[in-house]
Amino acid sequence: MVLRKTSHAVYDTKYHVVWCPKYRKRLFAQGYLSERAAELFREISAEYGYEIEEMEIAEDHVHIFLLFPPKYSIGAVVRALKSISARELFREYPSLKKRLWKGELWEDGYFVRTVGDKLTSDMIKKYIKQHGDEKQLPAQLAFKLR
């Protein structure tokens, strides 16, 4: 487990994110388009401080396993990846818009799952329960006045 640091946080967050092109079109059957999309996702990630550990662009969906600082919400990360990549792909490949009725590249929704590092939700629940059961000691020694 590698802990990452920002000026105000230490974190180890990992997410598996999946989303699809509009109408689940098989847009990425052409290798050049999936290669360019992967390149864009890497560029966006580098710009915003995300780390892509693994990525697969299938014909009709995208899988990305990534890490990012806790200053970002998952919604903001997905929004950045989808909106910037769509804008650039439409700019570079104008014929893409003709294949999509409303001119939107990505479906509105996405799937996300947090991923632990050998740490299960049961272990966390057990830790929290035990922590609550422990008798709290004072943070500082109490001095008696005489």
Side-chain angles (χ1 to χ4, degrees), residues 61-129:
H61 63 282
V62 174
H63 283 271
I64 298 182
F65 181 48
L66 78 160
L67 302 83
F68 54 86
K71 69 179 180 179
Y72 297 114
S73 69
I74 185 64
V77 170
V78 173
R79 190 169 31 260
L81 291 168
K82 288 168 68 173
S83 65
I84 297 169
S85 64
R87 184 180 65 230
E88 291 302 310
L89 288 171
F90 282 147
R91 187 181 60 77
E92 295 174 23
Y93 305 100
S95 62
L96 267 180
K97 276 196 175 186
K98 293 176 185 163
R99 296 184 62 192
L100 301 163
W101 298 301
K102 291 187 177 181
E104 294 178 25
L105 181 59
W106 304 114
E107 288 284 350
D108 292 337
Y110 57 91
F111 165 84
V112 64
R113 173 174 285 162
T114 56
V115 180
D117 188 36
K118 299 179 185 175
L119 186 64
T120 66
S121 57
D122 288 338
M123 293 168 75
I124 293 170
K125 287 176 189 175
K126 183 177 175 182
Y127 169 79
I128 291 171
K129 183 173 177 3

Side-chain angles (χ1 to χ4, degrees), residues 23-95:
Y23 317 113
R24 194 100 188 211
K25 292 266 189 174
R26 299 166 97 58
L27 298 178
F28 299 104
Q30 299 89 3
Y32 69 90
L33 197 56
S34 63
E35 287 172 19
R36 181 59 183 136
E39 217 173 88
L40 284 168
F41 294 138
R42 284 189 203 93
E43 290 171 12
I44 296 162
S45 295
E47 177 73 24
Y48 283 87
Y50 315 153
E51 294 179 48
I52 295 177
E53 287 206 356
E54 197 65 46
M55 176 173 34
E56 176 63 31
I57 300 179
E59 291 181 359
D60 65 347
H61 63 282
V62 174
H63 283 271
I64 298 182
F65 181 48
L66 78 160
L67 302 83
F68 54 86
K71 69 179 180 179
Y72 297 114
S73 69
I74 185 64
V77 170
V78 173
R79 190 169 31 260
L81 291 168
K82 288 168 68 173
S83 65
I84 297 169
S85 64
R87 184 180 65 230
E88 291 302 310
L89 288 171
F90 282 147
R91 187 181 60 77
E92 295 174 23
Y93 305 100
S95 62

